[in-house]
Amino acid sequence: MKKLEDYVRSIPDFPKLGIIFRDVTSILQDADGLQLAIDSLLDSLKDVEYDLIVGPESRGFIFGVPVAYEAHKSFVPVRKKGKLPCTTVSAEYELEYGRAVIEMHKDAIQPGQKVVIIDDLIATGGTLEAIIGLVEQLGGQVVKICCIMELAGLNGREKLSGYNVESIITYEGK
């Protein structure tokens, strides 16, 4: 039986020399890989009490929605600035080469709700840290953060200290 990491395509020297890009789309392109990814996320949540799942576009949608569906939980999208139609809260955060702003509907999370964040990757931790800020600003409590992959060499987990974080696959490098 294959492990989830067997479905990940590694591309050397992308986007620049010395970097090994871990391609999550190769998981999605294989029915068994996709099923294993969703089942692994569900398994990581089996003992967690939570009300809803939050995920950033676009890969947080891809992995978060099927988990929410299977667990019969609601899903809250986090989008790039200007993409949501109602009143939003926003957070600006650092990217490797600049800054970005994400938003969530202001009425998406009610005070006291227990929230799981699902995304494809923990790299520098900036996106997840910004999402935590939005959830907490609305009165939600982040009870777990689940990701398909983690690039441990980028130390993103340090920004998430104090939170229950689980990665299905951990790569030691960048």
Side-chain angles (χ1 to χ4, degrees), residues 132 136 142-143 145 157-165:
I132 291 166
E136 292 177 349
V142 175
V143 294
I145 300 166
R157 193 175 279 260
E158 290 174 9
K159 288 183 181 167
L160 310 174
S161 66
Y163 294 92
N164 182 0
V165 179

Side-chain angles (χ1 to χ4, degrees), residues 16-35:
K16 61 183 185 179
L17 193 63
I19 301 291
I20 299 175
F21 185 82
R22 309 297 181 171
D23 186 10
V24 73
T25 63
S26 53
I27 292 172
L28 302 174
Q29 292 169 345
D30 188 292
D32 292 334
L34 178 57
Q35 186 169 23

Side-chain angles (χ1 to χ4, degrees), residues 7-164:
Y7 294 96
V8 177
R9 178 174 38 204
S10 296
I11 303 166
D13 299 324
F14 182 82
K16 61 183 185 179
L17 193 63
I19 301 291
I20 299 175
F21 185 82
R22 309 297 181 171
D23 186 10
V24 73
T25 63
S26 53
I27 292 172
L28 302 174
Q29 292 169 345
D30 188 292
D32 292 334
L34 178 57
Q35 186 169 23
L36 183 57
I38 300 306
D39 288 348
S40 297
L41 289 166
L42 284 162
D43 189 52
S44 73
L45 294 172
K46 68 180 178 210
D47 296 323
V48 178
E49 183 183 323
Y50 63 103
D51 300 305
L52 59 92
I53 293 173
V54 169
E57 66 175 297
S58 62
R59 291 174 297 249
F61 293 9
I62 292 168
F63 293 107
V65 168
V67 172
Y69 174 83
E70 188 64 30
H72 196 70
K73 303 291 183 181
S74 58
F75 179 83
V76 174
V78 174
R79 304 232 29 217
K80 294 174 184 158
K81 184 176 177 69
K83 300 289 186 180
L84 292 170
C86 295
T87 305
T88 61
V89 291
S90 63
E92 187 174 354
Y93 65 100
E94 293 285 331
L95 295 169
E96 189 175 354
Y97 302 108
R99 299 186 68 71
V101 177
I102 55 173
E103 295 180 325
M104 179 187 302
H105 278 137
K106 192 173 185 176
D107 62 356
I109 296 172
Q110 302 307 308
Q113 283 189 307
K114 295 178 179 172
V115 176
V116 168
I117 301 171
I118 293 181
D119 202 2
D120 69 321
L121 178 68
I122 301 172
T124 65
T127 304
L128 292 167
E129 182 181 44
I131 294 168
I132 291 166
L134 292 176
V135 169
E136 292 177 349
Q137 180 181 342
L138 295 175
Q141 176 191 2
V142 175
V143 294
K144 189 151 189 183
I145 300 166
C146 301
C147 292
I148 299 295
M149 297 184 290
E150 178 177 357
L151 304 177
L154 294 175
N155 302 316
R157 193 175 279 260
E158 290 174 9
K159 288 183 181 167
L160 310 174
S161 66
Y163 294 92
N164 182 0

